[in-house]
Amino acid sequence: MRAVVIGVHLRREDIEPVAEAIPLGELFLSGAAVADDQPLGDRDLVLRVAQMRASLLERATFIAIRYGFAVRSSEEAMAKCAPQIERWRRLLALHRDNVEMTLKVAVASTRPRPERQAFASGADYLRALHEATRAADVDPRFREAASRLGNCRWVHRDGRSLECVLLVARDGVERVRAAGEQLKRDFPEIPFLLSGPWPLEVFADDDHK
Amino acid sequence: MPDQSQDLSLLETLDHLLDRGVVIAGEAVISIGDVDLLYLGLNIVLANVDALIRTTERR
């Protein structure tokens, strides 16, 4: 048996009995048990993990691990995560009462995708693709209004949308939802989707630019 | 009639599960020119999951 890792948590009781708690030094990983022969792309498994992720967030804030990381033991988890543990402990203590909310906005302008044939190397092509993605932007008035909703980081996901990721106190989620409704009234021409709460995803990344 | 908000919520949930959060260093991630190749791979998984859900719903 192995476990697909869902997140990093401060306390064991934040995890059990929703998921398996895997000790990781002072912290714990939450995991969903998976049979050795079950592929991680299995539909039922993905949906089960998504449901467990939501249930875990209702209990306490955690750092989300991107789907696809599986371990067979606490020792294996320690070997792969040891350098991060102190940073994760600090982040979890700091953001114990916070969650993320995501405001996904359709971009106003895009730069065309580069043509693969125009580049001599794959690396040059990928760099150009990355730059084209980062060139996407939204109406600056909307950007300013969305940024006022709270502690926010803008993330380029693809060439068609931009995300404003907000760090929100758990008791501030309804306030942000109401502010999102107001944004819809103020900018009816700009399509966007406000979703959450989510665990720490973007704000778990100290290297965010 | 299917509830569109539920579909949207499921898609958002899957999008966050498959494309957000910390990537464990050395686990499978390969980056070239700031483009995360694992990210591309997981998008393929997401597309498959999405297709599977639609297929199941049509039955």
Side-chain angles (χ1 to χ4, degrees):
Chain A
M1 285 292 273
R2 58 198 165 134
V4 179
V5 176
I6 301 170
V8 189
H9 304 249
L10 211 46
R11 299 173 189 166
R12 182 186 284 272
E13 57 266 34
D14 294 342
I15 301 172
E16 294 173 333
V18 174
E20 187 181 326
I22 304 161
L24 182 72
E26 288 179 59
L27 305 177
F28 296 88
L29 296 179
S30 53
V34 191
D36 285 334
D37 60 352
Q38 187 174 16
L40 296 188
D42 181 87
R43 172 189 184 271
D44 290 340
L45 174 62
V46 173
L47 293 177
R48 178 161 68 94
V49 171
Q51 202 165 38
M52 290 169 78
R53 197 182 197 254
S55 300
L56 287 167
L57 185 61
E58 283 176 15
R59 301 173 133 235
T61 295
F62 62 92
I63 292 172
I65 299 290
R66 195 179 298 190
Y67 186 81
F69 175 48
V71 293
R72 289 175 195 281
S73 65
S74 182
E75 291 72 27
E76 184 186 351
M78 194 59 155
K80 290 178 174 168
C81 302
Q84 307 291 337
I85 292 174
E86 179 47 36
R87 190 175 68 87
W88 285 345
R89 194 201 55 74
R90 182 175 49 77
L91 282 167
L92 285 167
L94 183 66
H95 297 306
R96 178 88 181 151
D97 296 320
N98 297 330
V99 288
E100 290 188 9
M101 294 188 78
T102 303
L103 202 152
K104 185 184 287 189
V105 196
V107 297
S109 60
T110 57
R111 190 190 291 178
R113 281 173 71 93
E115 289 290 334
R116 173 65 186 93
Q117 289 76 16
F119 297 87
S121 78
D124 287 345
Y125 169 65
L126 288 174
R127 273 189 209 99
L129 190 60
H130 184 64
E131 280 166 21
T133 302
R134 292 194 64 85
D137 208 352
V138 298
D139 181 330
R141 292 176 306 121
F142 182 89
R143 194 178 172 116
E144 194 185 323
S147 299
R148 280 200 298 266
L149 294 181
N151 187 356
C152 143
R153 289 180 178 179
W154 287 89
V155 181
H156 291 79
R157 288 281 173 211
D158 52 51
R160 296 176 303 279
S161 65
L162 206 60
E163 286 181 3
C164 170
V165 182
L166 297 153
L167 187 68
V168 179
R170 278 181 176 267
D171 60 7
V173 168
E174 286 308 318
R175 177 191 64 79
V176 173
R177 285 190 182 134
E181 290 301 314
Q182 184 61 47
L183 266 183
K184 270 185 194 160
R185 289 189 287 274
D186 293 344
F187 297 90
E189 73 285 6
I190 298 180
F192 70 88
L193 175 70
L194 179 63
S195 67
W198 304 110
L200 298 173
E201 297 169 341
V202 170
F203 281 84
D205 178 11
D206 279 347
D207 299 327
H208 177 85
K209 297 182 194 84
Chain B
M1 192 171 169
D3 183 340
Q4 286 190 330
S5 64
Q6 276 189 353
D7 285 349
L8 197 61
S9 170
L10 177 61
L11 279 176
E12 272 299 296
T13 301
L14 291 175
D15 189 29
H16 277 257
L17 175 70
L18 299 172
D19 197 23
R20 308 289 197 284
V22 174
V23 176
I24 303 301
E27 185 53 17
V29 63
I30 304 166
S31 295
I32 298 174
D34 278 347
V35 176
D36 184 342
L37 295 184
L38 180 62
Y39 167 92
L40 298 174
L42 288 172
N43 269 351
I44 293 166
V45 174
L46 174 61
N48 288 344
V49 171
D50 186 24
L52 275 168
I53 292 166
R54 284 200 305 271
T55 308
T56 311
E57 280 172 353
R58 276 200 294 270
R59 280 179 190 157

